[in-house]
């Protein structure tokens, strides 16, 4: 079954065709990052206008590549689309396009939750050669980060970690989701982006901080110096805080204290320009990143010990972070759980995760054609 997936929840206009939920036959992502860069973050009006301008070409290119991969008999069996959470004017563009396509092609429409889709990414692989043709010999799982099919990976603990969300999700079986912990304020990616903005490093901050921190740690190693991290707060909610919706505080993170600590530190040291001139930025960003990584690892460890999981599934843009990937690998080895992480190209927002999950979530919503966007859609809703 070949499903076309459309994703426009934030600043990527994306479309993909995925066979039977896992085999990515076409994947096209147009990123709007350069449009938002001058503003230091995503501007919803700019995002929605750019989605309107690009959606036709992006979907058209995904369908063209699908035909190259499987031949002229290529057909689309269903259209899947993100209907939340995300920016309302951005989601609307994708949902309306998907409704039109589903109606035009005479196929079902499958609405998908963006965060649940991030947790599907480790199950995606692709069998497309460099010239766009399909490699016949590629078996399921051949080039995937995992050979497991979703049902075999259950029960699982999920960690969705991106610019818009940071949550721990209990998945007793595939397609069943319950949030057991989350951030009480900023998402991890937001914490990276805001720090980078404060330090004048540009947008998006995550990849820049990742690189600078990696080079700093490498330099220390080469000079046989111990890495001297600044002791930033480790993202624990304040003592006595009962976290959102009755979630246990020890499975939740809060990055507001960390951000304030960074701001105070930078002010005390004379501001970002002076710090940059004195070469102080690398140590700060490495320490800040370490605080985020340790806070996430700490909550994930607690969640893994509290449940009985066969696997630990991680998805979302921040899972590209090299330090986080290393720390999660160590955690999974110590806790004897199988870690499933997406191939790097499926970590950020993409249509493949939408089309992929849709195969497993086909008959969930009755009247999909009359569904509206839901910017605050909850996991498991
Ligand atoms: O999943 P994603 O593409 O979009 C959302 O659903 O939010 O995630 C984007 C976020 C941004 O905040 C970006 O700074 C962060 O992922 N990010 C990273 C890295 N690459 C992207 N954060 C830390 N380290 C990275 N290497
Ligand atoms: Zn996302």
């Amino acid at each position: 079954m070949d499903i076309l997936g459309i994703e426009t929840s934030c600043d990527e206009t994306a479309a993909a065709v995925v066979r039977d939920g896992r085999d990515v036959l076409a994947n096209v992502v147009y990123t709007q990052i350069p449009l938002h860069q001058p503003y230091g973050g995503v501007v919803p009006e700019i995002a929605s206008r750019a989605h309107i301008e690009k959606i036709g070409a992006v979907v058209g290119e995904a369908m063209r590549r699908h035909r190259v991969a499987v031949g002229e008999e290529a057909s689309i069996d269903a259209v899947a689309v993100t209907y939340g959470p995300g920016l309302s004017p951005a989601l609307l563009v994708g949902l309306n396009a998907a409704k039109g396509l589903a109606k035009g092609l005479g196929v079902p429409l499958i609405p998908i939750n963006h965060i649940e889709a991030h947790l599907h990414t480790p199950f995606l692989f692709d069998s497309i050669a460099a010239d766009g043709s399909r490699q016949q010999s590629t078996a399921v799982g051949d080039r995937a980060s995992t050979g497991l099919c979703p049902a075999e990976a259950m029960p699982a603990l999920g960690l969705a970690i991106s610019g818009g969300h940071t949550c721990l999700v209990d998945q007793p079986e595939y397609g069943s989701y319950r949030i057991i912990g989350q951030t009480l304020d900023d998402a991890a990616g937001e914490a990276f982006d805001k720090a980078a903005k404060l330090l004048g490093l540009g947008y998006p901050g995550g990849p820049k901080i990742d690189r600078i921190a990696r080079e700093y740690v490498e330099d220390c190693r080469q000079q046989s110096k111990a890495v001297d991290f600044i002791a930033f707060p480790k993202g624990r909610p304040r003592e006595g805080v009962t976290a959102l919706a009755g979630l246990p505080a020890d499975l939740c993170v809060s990055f507001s204290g960390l951000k304030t600590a960074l701001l105070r530190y930078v002010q005390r040291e004379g501001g970002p320009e002076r710090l940059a001139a004195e070469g102080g930025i690398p140590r700060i960003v490495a320490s800040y990143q370490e605080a985020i990584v340790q806070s996430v690892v700490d909550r994930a460890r607690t969640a893994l010990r509290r449940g009985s999981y066969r696997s630990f599934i991680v998805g979302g843009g921040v899972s590209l972070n090299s330090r986080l990937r290393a720390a999660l690998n160590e955690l999974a080895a110590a806790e004897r759980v199988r870690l499933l992480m997406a191939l790097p190209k499926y970590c950020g927002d993409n249509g493949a995760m939408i089309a992929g999950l849709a195969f497993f979530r086909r008959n969930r919503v009755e009247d999909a054609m009359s569904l509206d966007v839901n910017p605050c859609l909850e996991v498991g809703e």
Side-chain angles (χ1 to χ4, degrees):
M1 182 176 202
D2 290 359
I3 299 182
L4 170 69
I6 296 177
E7 155 63 40
T8 64
S9 67
C10 190
D11 59 349
E12 262 90 33
T13 315
V17 182
V18 178
R19 178 163 291 180
D20 297 339
R22 304 194 53 204
D23 187 358
V24 184
L25 300 173
N27 184 42
V28 181
V29 180
Y30 163 74
T31 179
Q32 306 175 356
I33 285 174
L35 302 181
H36 300 289
Q37 245 153 6
Y39 307 93
V42 179
V43 183
E45 291 75 15
I46 294 178
S48 112
R49 195 177 320 142
H51 284 311
I52 292 170
E53 282 168 13
K54 296 289 176 191
I55 187 83
V58 167
V59 169
E61 177 61 13
M63 295 187 48
R64 189 191 68 76
R65 289 192 200 172
H66 177 225
R67 275 193 305 278
V68 172
V70 303
E72 281 308 317
E73 75 282 7
S75 71
I76 298 295
D77 301 300
V79 178
V81 63
T82 308
Y83 74 112
L87 302 169
S88 181
L91 288 163
L92 264 173
V93 178
L95 183 62
N96 286 333
K99 282 182 178 175
L101 278 159
K103 208 167 170 68
L105 294 167
V107 297
L109 177 73
I110 308 169
I112 290 293
N113 179 313
H114 180 88
I115 305 177
E116 295 172 7
H118 270 304
L119 295 176
H120 184 69
T121 51
F123 301 108
L124 296 171
F125 65 95
D126 70 56
S127 52
I128 303 298
D131 65 356
S133 68
R134 188 140 186 269
Q135 293 175 332
Q136 296 302 325
S137 62
T138 305
V140 168
D142 218 349
R143 290 161 54 190
S145 49
T146 166
L148 281 188
C149 71
E152 288 168 343
M154 301 295 118
L157 174 70
L159 167 65
I161 182 158
S162 72
H165 16 84
T166 296
C167 53
L168 286 165
V169 182
D170 181 55
Q171 290 179 266
E173 55 197 45
Y174 206 64
S176 160
Y177 308 87
R178 186 173 60 94
I179 291 202
I180 55 171
Q182 66 181 31
T183 175
L184 303 183
D185 34 63
D186 287 349
E190 220 174 334
F192 274 113
D193 295 340
K194 286 181 177 168
K197 193 170 181 180
L198 170 70
L199 296 169
L201 301 175
Y203 174 83
K208 297 207 169 93
I209 289 182
D210 187 359
R211 182 179 48 76
I212 297 171
R214 203 169 45 233
E215 286 167 5
Y216 173 72
V217 171
E218 195 48 43
D219 278 356
C220 290
R221 233 174 247 142
Q222 273 176 10
Q223 295 168 29
S224 307
K225 277 197 323 208
V227 183
D228 175 26
F229 288 127
I230 302 156
F232 283 132
K234 297 288 181 299
R236 279 200 184 83
R238 275 197 319 279
E239 209 56 53
V241 169
T242 343
L244 286 178
L247 295 174
D250 60 358
L251 296 182
C252 291
V253 286
S254 160
F255 294 122
S256 60
L258 171 63
K259 269 187 328 191
T260 309
L262 174 71
L263 178 65
R264 296 233 171 90
Y265 186 91
V266 171
Q267 283 168 341
R268 246 194 340 266
E269 298 294 314
E273 288 83 12
R274 181 153 160 212
L275 270 166
E278 290 170 356
I281 300 282
R283 178 171 171 240
I284 296 178
V285 301
S287 309
Y288 186 86
Q289 171 178 280
E290 195 60 22
I292 294 178
V293 168
Q294 290 309 327
S295 65
V296 171
V297 166
D298 178 74
R299 300 323 174 273
R301 182 186 298 109
T302 305
L304 285 170
R305 288 185 180 172
R306 205 160 284 172
S308 174
Y309 297 109
R310 190 180 282 177
S311 28
F312 179 25
I313 296 175
V314 182
V318 181
S319 66
L320 281 169
N321 185 273
S322 55
R323 175 69 192 111
L324 180 67
R325 280 180 103 89
L328 290 176
N329 265 299
E330 278 168 29
L331 172 68
E335 299 301 319
R336 297 171 186 280
V337 65
R338 190 193 301 246
L339 177 64
L340 306 180
M341 281 200 282
L343 296 169
K345 66 178 162 184
Y346 301 128
C347 287
D349 290 348
N350 63 81
M353 66 186 195
I354 307 303
L357 180 59
F359 178 76
F360 297 93
R361 304 276 279 157
R362 267 172 287 171
N363 304 316
R364 200 173 41 95
V365 177
E366 277 203 359
D367 186 13
M369 284 305 259
S370 60
L371 202 71
D372 202 353
V373 298
N374 185 347
C376 304
L377 185 65
E378 300 280 353
V379 169
E381 209 177 296

